[in-house]
């Protein structure tokens, strides 16, 4: 049986290189393409008819839309809706990628730090560039919270700068670590079930507890797939609020 780490291996499907640059199409690339295709296909097909009284699929798409819109409004205000296409795309990509990873033998792209770091980097770059474009040097008010006494400014400002620069790290590591740890744990307990089941009657009896743990962890993983998509999206909304209102 394959080890718990082998499920995260990136393997080339189509070798392609330009000089020393490796541009191979990998299994990770294939699953990212599949994620975008499934998310896009679902939204297009679910809303194609545009019924006044929506059916199940259209209702599901509208619920996702309203959920993300409410999250964005609650954390960034009505002005934050200008970022809705970005936030909704991030939410759908992470949610679908997490759910795809729950299928046996599937590849979980969000369990790779390079993917989650790229997503967090998009948010960080958007906040920084838009904040500077809209507010100019006024965006730097973000590093001096309102009401801070002048004597504390030399201490508070460096702390705020470090905190701001660490955002993409914490933003990406949270999603990556949860998905990685969850899948490793699930694989380990599933390995116990298979290993004990091959030891005869006594082994089968002993495998009941790991089997129950595997079922429980699977349910927890489905829950975390949803929660982590929400948490990543909520944090993105909170960061985008700083680009809109740096002085608050």
């Amino acid at each position: 049986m394959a080890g718990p780490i082998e499920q995260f291996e990136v393997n080339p499907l189509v070798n392609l290189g330009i000089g020393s640059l490796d541009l191979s199409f990998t299994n990770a690339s294939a699953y990212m393409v599949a994620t975008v295709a499934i998310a896009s296909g679902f939204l297009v097909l679910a809303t194609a008819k545009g019924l006044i009284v929506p059916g199940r699929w259209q209702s599901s798409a509208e619920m996702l839309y309203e959920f993300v819109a409410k999250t964005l409004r609650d954390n960034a205000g009505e002005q934050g809706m200008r970022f809705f296409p970005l936030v909704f795309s991030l939410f759908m990509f992470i949610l679908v990628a997490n759910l795809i990873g729950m299928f046996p033998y599937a590849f979980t792209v969000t369990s790779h730090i390079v993917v989650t770091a790229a997503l967090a980097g998009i948010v960080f770059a958007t906040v920084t560039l838009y904040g500077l474009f809209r507010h100019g040097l006024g965006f730097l008010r973000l590093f001096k919270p309102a009401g801070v006494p002048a004597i504390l400014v030399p201490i508070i400002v460096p702390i705020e700068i470090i905190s701001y620069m660490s955002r993409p790290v914490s933003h990406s590591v949270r999603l990556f670590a949860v998905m990685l740890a969850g899948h490793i744990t699930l694989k380990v307990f599933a390995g116990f079930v298979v290993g004990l089941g091959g030891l005869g009657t006594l082994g089968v009896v002993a495998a009941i507890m790991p089997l129950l743990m595997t079922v429980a962890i699977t349910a927890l993983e489905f829950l975390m797939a949803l929660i982590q998509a929400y948490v990543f999206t909520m944090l993105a909304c909170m960061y985008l609020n700083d680009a809109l209102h740096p002085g608050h």
Side-chain angles (χ1 to χ4, degrees):
M1 184 176 179
I5 303 299
E6 293 184 23
Q7 60 183 310
F8 306 112
E9 289 184 356
V10 178
N11 301 310
L13 301 179
V14 179
N15 291 306
L16 178 64
I18 300 177
S20 59
L21 185 62
D22 187 2
L23 299 176
S24 298
F25 187 79
T26 65
N27 54 339
S29 305
Y31 274 93
M32 283 189 278
V33 170
T35 297
V36 173
I38 293 173
S40 301
F42 165 73
L43 293 172
V44 169
L45 294 176
T47 59
K49 295 182 179 180
L51 300 175
I52 297 178
V53 180
R56 293 179 181 177
W57 294 108
Q58 184 175 329
S59 295
S60 299
E62 291 178 357
M63 287 176 61
L64 290 172
Y65 178 97
E66 290 298 332
F67 175 74
V68 176
K70 184 179 185 303
T71 302
L72 185 53
R73 289 193 186 98
D74 289 346
N75 290 280
E78 192 62 36
Q79 292 182 353
M81 287 302 292
R82 66 189 62 189
F83 297 111
F84 180 80
L86 170 63
V87 175
F88 188 70
S89 298
L90 289 171
F91 175 78
M92 289 300 298
F93 179 87
I94 295 171
L95 177 62
V96 174
N98 289 350
L99 292 177
I100 288 176
M102 292 304 301
F103 287 88
Y105 306 107
F107 187 90
T108 311
V109 296
T110 48
S111 66
H112 283 250
I113 187 65
V114 66
V115 175
T116 59
L119 299 177
I122 292 173
V123 175
F124 181 79
T126 301
V127 172
T128 303
L129 296 177
Y130 183 84
L132 291 172
F133 172 78
R134 176 170 178 172
H135 304 285
L137 293 179
F139 180 65
L140 300 180
R141 297 197 306 271
L142 180 65
F143 305 118
K144 182 184 176 299
V148 173
I151 193 173
L152 295 179
V153 169
I155 299 175
I156 297 299
V157 170
I159 293 176
E160 289 294 326
I161 293 175
I162 294 173
S163 175
Y164 182 80
M165 297 304 295
S166 66
R167 282 183 178 181
V169 177
S170 60
H171 202 187
S172 59
V173 168
R174 182 180 290 102
L175 174 60
F176 148 76
V178 170
M179 300 312 297
L180 180 74
H183 281 66
I184 289 177
T185 305
L186 183 60
K187 186 76 171 183
V188 168
F189 277 96
F192 287 157
V193 175
V194 175
L196 291 173
L199 298 179
T201 304
L202 185 60
V204 171
V205 174
I208 293 177
M209 184 58 68
L211 177 61
L212 294 176
M213 287 297 299
T214 301
V215 173
I217 293 172
T218 300
L220 180 62
E221 278 292 278
F222 273 107
L223 179 62
M224 294 309 298
L226 301 174
I227 291 177
Q228 287 304 309
Y230 168 70
V231 169
F232 192 98
T233 302
M234 182 184 65
L235 289 174
C237 294
M238 293 174 62
Y239 297 156
L240 289 168
N241 180 59
D242 290 337
L244 296 166
H245 312 104
H248 292 184

